[in-house]
Amino acid sequence: MIVRRTLTAAALIAMMIVGTAHAGDMKNSVSHGEQIFNTQCIFCHGQGLGHPAWQMLALKKGKAKAYIVGRTDLTPLYIKHVVRNGLIEMPPFRVSQISNPDLDALAQYITHPDGAQSAK
Amino acid sequence: MNAKLPRGVSKEQFASAMNAMRKVVGNQWVIVDDNPLIAGYMDTYSAAPVSSTAASAAVCPASVEEVQQIVKIAHSHRIPIWSIATGRNFAYGGPAPRSAGQVVLDLRRMNRVLEVNTELGYAIVEPGVGYVDFYNYMQKHKLPYWIDCAANGMGGVMGNTLDHGVGYTAYGDHLLMQCGMEVVMSDGSLMRTGMGALPNSTCFPLYKYGYGPYIDGLFTQSNFGVVTKIGLWLMPEPPAFKPFKVQFESEDDLYQATELMLPLKINMIIPNAAITTHLLWEASLFTTKHEWSSGPGALPQSTLRRIAEKFDIGMWNFYAALYGMPEVVEENWKLVEATFQKIKGAKIILGEDRKGDPSFDYRARLMRGEPNLTEFSLLNWVGGGGHINFSPISPASGDDAMKQFHMIRQVCEKYGFDYIGEFVIGWREQHHILMLMFNRYDADESKRAHDCFAQLIDDAAAQGYGEYRTNLHFMDAIAETYNANDGALLKMHRRVKRALDPAGILAPGKNGIWPIGETPETES
Ligand SMILES: Cc1cc2nc3c(=O)[nH]c(=O)nc-3n(C[C@H](O)[C@H](O)[C@H](O)COP(=O)(O)OP(=O)(O)OC[C@H]3O[C@@H](n4cnc5c(N)ncnc54)[C@H](O)[C@@H]3O)c2cc1C
């Protein structure tokens, strides 16, 4: 049976894309950063074959560095630079796609997925 | 102070326009070219220099009203604006405008799914709704419909549809499934097409043709308006879904595979946009060119055979799916099996045979409308990021498929490139997609890629083949090939342009349509 239902929804998508990270609430920021990673990055940067960024980084830097989340040699500054400018095969991301606060949360998540405070 | 200006626009005129636009969208949403954030609007993948399509600014409105005001300002200040929706038009130019200095109108912030009607099976979306957003939305609300996405899962519903893009479910012909459009015209006025023109009608996303001429197509691959909403029909989640692959041993099998597949497509036994993909398209998920050759030039046949054997990939690989009631799917499956068993050496493969195989996996996901980016592995084949798609239309016949394949491969090899191609099968034709991969940090290789593409256009046209869509740098060249009756079609497009956008501010040069007084020559 098909149920008649019309959804007029704004909130969800708006939340996903332009949500802001609140300074001081690191746990939240990490889960928010993780959410952005899972919508914008994971299809290339997930682990294993089928993920082109993982594949390319495995080739260039070895499997230990192929998954960027939790890598200790990446700084938030570098991550943000790569996201805004792209890197060889990776396209840049516009501020209309990932806002600056979202990018902060994303870089925080990649460098410290466990929720620890990152060095600035 | 920005360095670039749109052609024919003075510094003062430009600054005044930008200031007026800032008042509409807020300072942070007008990005001029001294702001590092402008990097996001570059075409980082094409064979031509990035500077040749570098925008002077980008403006990001958040509502239809803001779009109207921005267009009015552009109109009064004579500023050319290039609309993008999600702006991920990779292989065809990404978010960049047709020529340097144009201002990008970035609609990504307008990213609401305005309505999903589960009884009538439609959605209405804004320009910025990406495939991943839309998919997550459907999942979150547990809606009994699928979306249909391109293999570039970063793209979005509207931009892809407006550029005549394709996906892989039974609703893969995106423009066919689009119904109802809202458009901001070049003077800033707002128009709805079809039933949307009738006050209080609820049929905007239900009946495409309205009353009088059917005009939605005018706003696709064109520059006659800025589209701010589209309706689209949604595919109900089928009770049964059976994706499959058939691997063929020989390149010559393309002939028979195409001939046998066609009746299955025309009779809608196979209802989806199926594909026949060449060895190297698949192989790039597992390996790179450098593992097989360090020298220049295309890989020889002997190496292709070794790659096919090592990874158990066909020289051609056909992917399709069956959808519907389980009994019907099983009945149709018998027909499909019997059909492809006629080809000597054909290997028929189902999901359970290929657990963990990333190529079967991503194809199956696309055929059920699940966005992913696995296909970007193609960029790893040579590395260096460069890729442009040459995409001629071919009749879905064995003869044409073979002829195009040989013609394209020969030109690729002449310029030192591998043939990396696939046929996306439409209702009666095939979109033949060549991914021309090159290292864009190598100037010689980029130039060869550019020249190779140019020759492909000419050679294809000489044989009566034309492209369905193209990269920014080849828009004029391809428009010129559609030149029957003394260029009557292009002349008509330019006449419409004059009527609908007399000031020539909307996306000048899109698909070869230039405003009065501007020509491709004056552009370069
Ligand atoms: C690996 C790979 C796989 C790909 N797979 C596919 C595939 O399976 N199918 C496919 O179709 N393509 C494919 N592409 C090509 C392309 O990347 C996609 O079509 C992508 O969806 C287009 O980007 P977009 O959706 O963000 O559209 P956008 O970039 O937003 O829009 C595309 C163009 O449409 C016009 N436009 C956009 N919005 C408006 C508007 N509001 N008003 C007027 N004009 C507008 C503009 O000219 C714009 O440049 C692939 C590319 C790559 C590199």
Side-chain angles (χ1 to χ4, degrees):
Chain A
M1 274 285 97
I2 299 171
V3 191
R4 186 187 168 92
R5 190 153 54 130
T6 288
L7 289 170
T8 47
L12 175 81
I13 298 231
M15 250 165 55
M16 277 177 6
I17 313 292
V18 283
T20 45
H22 301 284
D25 191 353
M26 267 312 152
K27 266 229 132 36
N28 247 345
S29 157
V30 167
S31 64
H32 182 60
E34 182 174 12
Q35 198 188 1
I36 296 172
F37 186 82
N38 288 342
T39 49
Q40 306 260 25
C41 320
I42 203 165
F43 297 108
C44 285
H45 280 283
Q47 304 196 51
L49 285 184
H51 299 103
W54 183 91
Q55 189 189 12
M56 188 49 118
L57 290 171
L59 212 67
K60 285 190 172 171
K61 304 195 166 179
K63 282 193 180 157
K65 290 193 172 174
Y67 185 57
I68 58 172
V69 176
R71 257 174 64 181
T72 51
D73 59 333
L74 297 176
T75 62
L77 200 66
Y78 174 71
I79 293 168
K80 290 193 255 184
H81 179 82
V82 169
V83 169
R84 287 288 182 234
N85 294 280
L87 183 66
I88 315 179
E89 299 85 9
M90 173 176 153
F93 286 74
R94 310 187 305 275
V95 69
S96 59
Q97 298 172 289
I98 302 181
S99 68
N100 286 330
D102 280 359
L103 186 52
D104 286 338
L106 177 61
Q108 164 68 24
Y109 166 71
I110 292 172
T111 48
H112 293 89
D114 54 0
Q117 176 83 51
S118 68
K120 286 278 145 88
Chain B
M1 191 62 207
N2 67 297
K4 252 169 248 91
L5 289 170
R7 195 157 48 107
V9 173
S10 73
K11 265 189 175 164
E12 295 68 32
Q13 195 182 344
F14 186 75
S16 148
M18 291 302 114
N19 282 337
M21 290 184 187
R22 282 187 188 98
K23 290 200 183 106
V24 176
V25 297
N27 286 347
Q28 72 178 117
W29 296 114
V30 174
I31 300 159
V32 292
D33 78 348
D34 61 356
N35 181 337
L37 289 172
I38 200 77
Y41 295 90
M42 303 294 171
D43 171 12
T44 53
Y45 292 134
S46 291
V50 170
S51 57
S52 61
T53 54
S56 56
V59 182
C60 316
S63 67
V64 176
E65 295 71 29
E66 288 186 8
V67 174
Q68 289 180 274
Q69 290 181 58
I70 296 294
V71 171
K72 279 183 193 156
I73 294 165
H75 191 265
S76 61
H77 290 73
R78 295 294 188 267
I79 303 289
I81 46 175
W82 179 270
S83 304
I84 60 170
T86 31
R88 304 308 248 172
N89 205 5
F90 302 131
Y92 298 115
R98 168 65 187 84
S99 60
Q102 294 180 359
V103 172
V104 176
L105 182 63
D106 177 355
L107 306 175
R108 181 68 170 102
R109 292 176 67 218
M110 297 167 64
N111 57 8
R112 293 175 305 165
V113 177
L114 294 168
E115 187 182 348
V116 174
N117 186 303
T118 52
E119 186 179 59
L120 293 164
Y122 69 79
I124 299 178
V125 298
E126 292 191 323
V129 174
Y131 288 128
V132 175
D133 307 334
F134 198 27
Y135 178 80
N136 287 344
Y137 180 94
M138 302 299 266
Q139 294 294 308
K140 164 107 182 175
H141 295 284
K142 298 194 168 53
L143 303 179
Y145 287 92
W146 282 356
I147 73 156
D148 186 284
C149 57
N152 173 5
M154 282 179 281
V157 180
M158 186 187 290
N160 181 286
T161 301
L162 295 182
D163 226 19
H164 301 177
V166 298
Y168 304 92
T169 73
Y171 280 35
D173 182 343
H174 292 157
L175 193 55
L176 190 67
M177 296 302 165
Q178 172 269 330
C179 183
M181 216 177 242
E182 181 185 85
V183 189
V184 172
M185 305 304 291
S186 76
D187 59 0
S189 60
L190 193 66
M191 180 197 61
R192 285 194 175 194
T193 65
M195 300 306 291
L198 184 72
N200 302 322
S201 170
T202 53
C203 294
F204 171 72
L206 302 180
Y207 179 64
K208 282 156 95 75
Y209 311 121
Y211 184 74
Y214 170 62
I215 60 167
D216 290 35
L218 275 182
F219 300 97
T220 70
Q221 286 199 6
S222 74
N223 45 18
F224 303 148
V226 179
V227 183
T228 46
K229 285 184 187 68
I230 56 168
L232 66 143
W233 296 334
L234 299 171
M235 177 172 165
E237 185 174 343
F241 164 62
K242 192 176 182 109
F244 64 93
K245 175 185 187 186
V246 189
Q247 282 183 195
F248 303 105
E249 279 182 340
S250 152
E251 284 186 341
D252 292 340
D253 290 338
L254 176 65
Y255 176 86
Q256 213 185 346
T258 309
E259 293 282 304
L260 290 175
M261 166 281 297
L262 183 61
L264 297 175
K265 267 297 296 180
I266 286 199
N267 290 291
M268 295 201 209
I269 303 292
I270 292 176
N272 72 319
I275 59 140
T276 313
T277 176
H278 190 255
L279 170 79
L280 292 182
W281 194 292
E282 296 266 287
S284 67
L285 271 68
F286 304 97
T287 183
T288 64
K289 183 165 190 169
H290 301 293
E291 289 180 44
W292 300 89
S293 152
S294 50
L299 294 182
Q301 275 293 316
S302 55
T303 308
L304 298 188
R305 291 239 141 263
R306 277 165 49 220
I307 294 175
E309 267 164 43
K310 174 162 181 193
F311 298 104
D312 189 14
I313 304 172
M315 293 308 276
W316 289 105
N317 305 272
F318 177 75
Y319 285 96
L322 303 181
Y323 306 79
M325 297 303 289
E327 302 77 11
V328 178
V329 164
E330 280 320 305
E331 207 49 44
N332 285 343
W333 176 244
K334 289 181 202 156
L335 187 60
V336 170
E337 251 187 328
T339 301
F340 288 110
Q341 275 163 353
K342 289 181 194 153
I343 302 181
K344 194 172 147 281
K347 216 191 250 184
I348 300 175
I349 294 161
L350 292 168
E352 49 269 31
D353 309 324
R354 284 292 166 98
K355 290 224 163 62
D357 172 351
S359 56
F360 192 102
D361 179 66
Y362 97 88
R363 290 291 180 185
R365 284 159 68 194
L366 291 176
M367 291 191 285
R368 59 172 187 261
E370 250 185 70
N372 63 75
L373 293 172
T374 300
E375 205 160 90
F376 278 76
S377 298
L378 282 165
L379 275 64
N380 296 345
W381 178 246
V382 289
H387 66 281
I388 42 181
N389 280 11
F390 179 70
S391 2
I393 296 293
S394 160
S397 82
D399 277 333
D400 285 288
M402 290 303 289
K403 196 164 133 190
Q404 278 202 4
F405 165 52
H406 286 305
M407 174 194 77
I408 292 179
R409 172 139 86 187
Q410 204 179 14
V411 176
C412 284
E413 290 185 349
K414 175 179 152 194
Y415 288 90
F417 298 107
D418 290 312
Y419 169 83
I420 305 183
E422 69 172 8
F423 290 88
V424 183
I425 302 151
W427 298 107
R428 275 146 181 83
E429 54 67 52
Q430 314 198 86
H431 293 37
H432 188 177
I433 312 287
L434 168 78
M435 265 277 182
L436 190 54
M437 314 299 311
F438 56 94
N439 176 358
R440 90 186 149 86
Y441 297 90
D442 179 328
D444 168 65
E445 206 169 303
S446 299
K447 174 159 188 336
R448 274 189 285 121
H450 194 91
D451 294 348
C452 176
F453 201 108
Q455 180 172 346
L456 283 168
I457 295 170
D458 292 344
D459 288 8
Q463 306 205 33
Y465 298 127
E467 288 66 56
Y468 94 98
R469 173 185 187 184
T470 202
N471 179 279
L472 295 171
H473 299 281
F474 299 96
M475 285 182 173
D476 296 318
I478 289 177
E480 298 290 333
T481 64
Y482 285 80
N483 61 10
N485 302 312
D486 197 22
L489 182 65
L490 189 55
K491 281 181 190 162
M492 198 278 280
H493 289 160
R494 289 180 179 165
R495 284 218 300 273
V496 176
K497 177 73 178 165
R498 248 166 267 168
L500 296 184
D501 178 19
I505 54 157
L506 300 179
K510 171 78 181 170
N511 281 57
I513 309 169
W514 291 96
I516 260 180
E518 291 189 47
T519 64
E521 292 72 41
T522 54
E523 198 54 37
S524 55

